[in-house]
Amino acid sequence: MRVRSTLIALLGIIAVALICFYVIHSNATIAAIALLLGILLSGAYQKLPEAVVASIAATLCLDYFFVPPIGSVTIGDPQGWIVLLVFLTVSLVATNLSTRLRRQRDELIVRQVESEKLHAFSRSMLLSSGAEDVRRLVINKCMELFGFSEAALFETGTGEFHRSHAESSIPEAKLRKVALYGSIDSSKGNADSIEAQLTVVPVTLGNKNFGSLGFRGAALPEATLQAIGNTVAVGLAQAQALEAGSRAEAVRRSEELKSVMIDALAHDLKTPLTAIGAAADTLRQADGLPSRERSELLVVIQEEAKGLRRMVDEAIHLARIDAKKLKLECQPMEVSELVREALRLAGERAASHEMHVEIPPDLPLVFADRELLAQALKQLLDNAIKYSRSQSAVTISAMEANGIVSISVRDQGQGLTELEQGRVFDKFYRGRYDRSAVQGTGMGLSIAKELVEAHGGHIGVESHAGQGSKFTIGLHSASKPVEVEQREA
């Protein structure tokens, strides 16, 4: 490559000299200016050795073609020596200046490119979302922007290593050492190629050390390496802040939910317990109570006890779901069988409404856990019964489309506003008509949602205020089974 560029410079200078002598028939002054221009161009686009060779060649051409005696490299007049020495000095100075400017231009271009890469890198760190995404983003962006052949990130806080390749040649010991001492470590392997060079950069921000970043396949200035380390530290600091905020928010929400649950249970347990206590006191104190009234009081105790059991069962179900202690035993099931089981679980409460079941006979089977999915349907039935007028119709229907079996429960209650539809599946949430008119803890729909999603399905609601609500469960048909979530007890 050096020989080729040198030949190009020599041929260019000789061509300028020949044109000035044979084509333009210029004098020595014009030829010197033309040759000097050629030298400047050579220095601007080539390295210093090639430019020096071009300067010497231009001096010889000026002597041969334009300094007497013409056609000879000998100089007969002392002034000719002065002309050639001045020309050679000027050409060498010009060559040095032009090559220095070219080198500075190249350095500026390299710095600009590095600055753009660092800007893109820092921007991706600042705009990242999610704690785990940041670690993977660091590796991916380093590989993409800086051309690393492999990269590895060590995080001091967790002691974890994140690598670009499963089989990485970046040693863990070196990553730990750089993270501990906080100094850049750059070394070459057995080969002299840039691919063999290993660089490990401390990931620091201020006085806090977040870990280290190691990579192969790029030789970067120390300032760029420090900037990369600081940028990665910003990303990790942001990720750790998000994690801490998420943990704090989770603790706050957990405490808030516990408080809401205790308040709800305290309120909803008070009424049945009061009724049971009053009925028991009446039975104990009234010896001559007629058998009819005695039977009515016993029915009150029995019904209120069933209500208490339902609330306790709901709380247990929700606790098991939150603790991920459900185990699904799924098998192909008929939707009609699930609906019958849900109606059985609803018991006498279903008798207070007109139950309409509309299920096509050719409906595909669904892949479900009989007990748990029936429990989810029962929660929808309970919701429809509680929040609609007595003796009003509750319709249970089903249909299939594109491998999805939809089971719907429609009531004729007050309906839900758009805001309520967005929160109706939240734990312990109760709508604007619920808190005083209807007993409940707000756990039923949340339980239904968790059970359906554990089956790989989805649940939704369609409602208009004053026109009732339609809750729909969507499940994959047994002909297209989906991997459901198995949660061990």
Side-chain angles (χ1 to χ4, degrees):
M1 193 66 182
R2 280 309 251 312
V3 174
R4 181 183 176 185
S5 59
T6 303
L7 287 176
I8 292 174
L10 287 174
L11 291 175
I13 293 299
I14 293 172
V16 170
L18 292 175
I19 291 172
C20 291
F21 186 76
Y22 289 106
V23 178
I24 303 176
H25 304 291
S26 61
N27 56 29
T29 303
I30 295 175
I33 294 173
L35 289 170
L36 189 60
L37 178 60
I39 292 169
L40 290 174
L41 291 174
S42 178
Y45 292 98
Q46 295 179 330
K47 294 183 178 180
L48 184 60
E50 289 86 345
V52 170
V53 171
S55 299
I56 296 173
T59 303
L60 293 175
C61 287
L62 183 65
D63 178 26
Y64 186 84
F65 290 106
F66 300 100
V67 176
I70 304 300
S72 173
V73 292
T74 60
I75 301 172
D77 189 352
Q79 291 184 353
W81 285 103
I82 297 174
V83 170
L84 291 178
L85 288 175
V86 170
F87 178 81
L88 180 60
T89 302
V90 171
S91 63
L92 290 175
V93 171
T95 296
N96 184 51
L97 291 175
S98 61
T99 52
R100 184 179 300 177
L101 289 174
R102 182 186 61 80
R103 188 162 51 247
Q104 291 177 353
R105 179 204 63 191
D106 294 342
E107 290 177 355
L108 287 174
I109 292 174
V110 171
R111 289 177 184 175
Q112 181 181 359
V113 172
E114 290 177 354
S115 297
E116 291 174 353
K117 290 179 179 179
L118 287 172
H119 173 71
F121 188 42
S122 60
R123 188 171 183 271
S124 63
M125 291 295 100
L126 292 174
L127 296 180
S128 63
S129 60
E132 186 61 31
D133 289 343
V134 171
R135 281 84 172 181
R136 182 48 48 190
L137 186 64
V138 167
I139 300 297
N140 292 341
K141 283 297 179 180
C142 284
M143 301 285 288
E144 174 188 344
L145 294 174
F146 301 103
F148 300 158
S149 60
E150 66 171 311
L153 174 66
F154 169 64
E155 190 174 3
T156 307
T158 61
E160 295 179 351
F161 293 88
H162 306 269
R163 300 180 180 273
S164 59
H165 299 78
E167 299 294 332
S168 177
S169 62
I170 301 176
E172 294 183 0
K174 183 162 288 191
L175 290 170
R176 293 181 184 275
K177 179 181 176 182
V178 171
L180 178 63
Y181 293 106
S183 58
I184 298 175
D185 188 322
S186 182
S187 59
K188 291 187 177 181
N190 297 328
D192 291 332
S193 65
I194 197 171
E195 294 294 329
Q197 181 170 336
L198 171 62
T199 303
V200 184
V201 182
V203 177
T204 58
L205 188 63
N207 294 326
K208 187 170 182 180
N209 195 323
F210 289 88
S212 59
L213 175 70
F215 59 86
R216 294 185 188 274
L220 300 174
E222 184 174 348
T224 302
L225 294 176
Q226 291 177 350
I228 291 174
N230 292 338
T231 304
V232 174
V234 170
L236 291 180
Q238 178 176 288
Q240 292 179 7
L242 286 173
E243 290 174 340
S246 298
R247 288 194 295 268
E249 178 66 15
V251 171
R252 186 192 67 80
R253 287 181 62 85
S254 176
E255 295 299 324
E256 180 180 326
L257 289 177
K258 289 178 183 178
S259 176
V260 171
M261 184 175 182
I262 291 172
D263 290 344
L265 287 175
H267 177 270
D268 291 314
L269 288 173
K270 185 176 180 180
T271 301
L273 287 175
T274 301
I276 291 173
D281 287 342
T282 303
L283 288 172
R284 183 173 59 84
Q285 295 174 4
D287 295 333
L289 193 68
S291 59
R292 180 181 177 181
E293 293 184 12
R294 183 181 295 273
S295 297
E296 290 177 352
L297 291 173
L298 290 173
V299 168
V300 169
I301 293 175
Q302 187 178 36
E303 289 300 320
E304 296 297 341
K306 288 180 180 179
L308 287 174
R309 173 166 294 197
R310 282 197 302 273
M311 282 188 280
V312 172
D313 288 342
E314 287 181 351
I316 292 173
H317 262 105
L318 196 59
R320 290 180 64 196
I321 290 171
D322 285 343
K324 300 187 183 299
K325 291 185 177 180
L326 286 180
K327 182 179 180 180
L328 274 62
E329 297 178 356
C330 295
Q331 58 184 342
M333 300 285 301
E334 290 186 0
V335 173
S336 58
E337 183 180 352
L338 293 170
V339 171
R340 285 195 299 271
E341 178 65 15
L343 288 171
R344 186 190 68 79
L345 292 173
E348 296 179 0
R349 298 188 307 283
S352 62
H353 288 66
E354 295 181 13
M355 293 291 168
H356 297 166
V357 179
E358 300 174 357
I359 299 177
D362 58 345
L363 194 67
L365 303 179
V366 295
F367 199 63
D369 182 298
R370 173 191 175 93
E371 178 185 353
L372 295 180
L373 195 57
Q375 182 66 228
L377 282 172
K378 193 266 290 186
Q379 298 294 347
L380 298 186
L381 288 174
D382 281 346
N383 186 77
I385 292 168
K386 285 193 293 185
Y387 301 125
S388 60
R389 297 183 307 276
S390 179
Q391 302 305 318
S392 63
V394 173
T395 304
I396 307 168
S397 60
M399 60 176 292
E400 186 271 340
N402 300 321
I404 301 296
V405 176
S406 300
I407 309 171
S408 301
V409 177
R410 180 188 290 275
D411 62 54
Q412 297 180 357
Q414 294 286 348
L416 300 169
T417 65
E418 185 175 347
L419 177 63
E420 288 174 321
Q421 290 178 51
R423 297 192 58 193
V424 71
F425 294 106
D426 292 348
K427 295 175 184 176
F428 312 118
Y429 176 77
R430 304 183 69 198
R432 66 193 189 285
Y433 298 114
D434 302 352
R435 297 180 180 89
S436 58
V438 181
Q439 291 184 5
T441 59
M443 294 186 290
L445 293 179
S446 175
I447 291 172
K449 178 177 181 291
E450 295 286 351
L451 292 176
V452 170
E453 289 182 350
H455 282 79
H458 63 273
I459 187 170
V461 60
E462 300 174 19
S463 183
H464 299 281
Q467 300 180 23
S469 303
K470 178 183 177 183
F471 289 85
T472 302
I473 292 173
L475 299 169
H476 288 265
S477 66
S479 59
K480 294 183 178 180
V482 1
E483 183 179 350
V484 296
E485 182 181 355
Q486 295 292 337
R487 292 187 276 192
E488 298 294 336

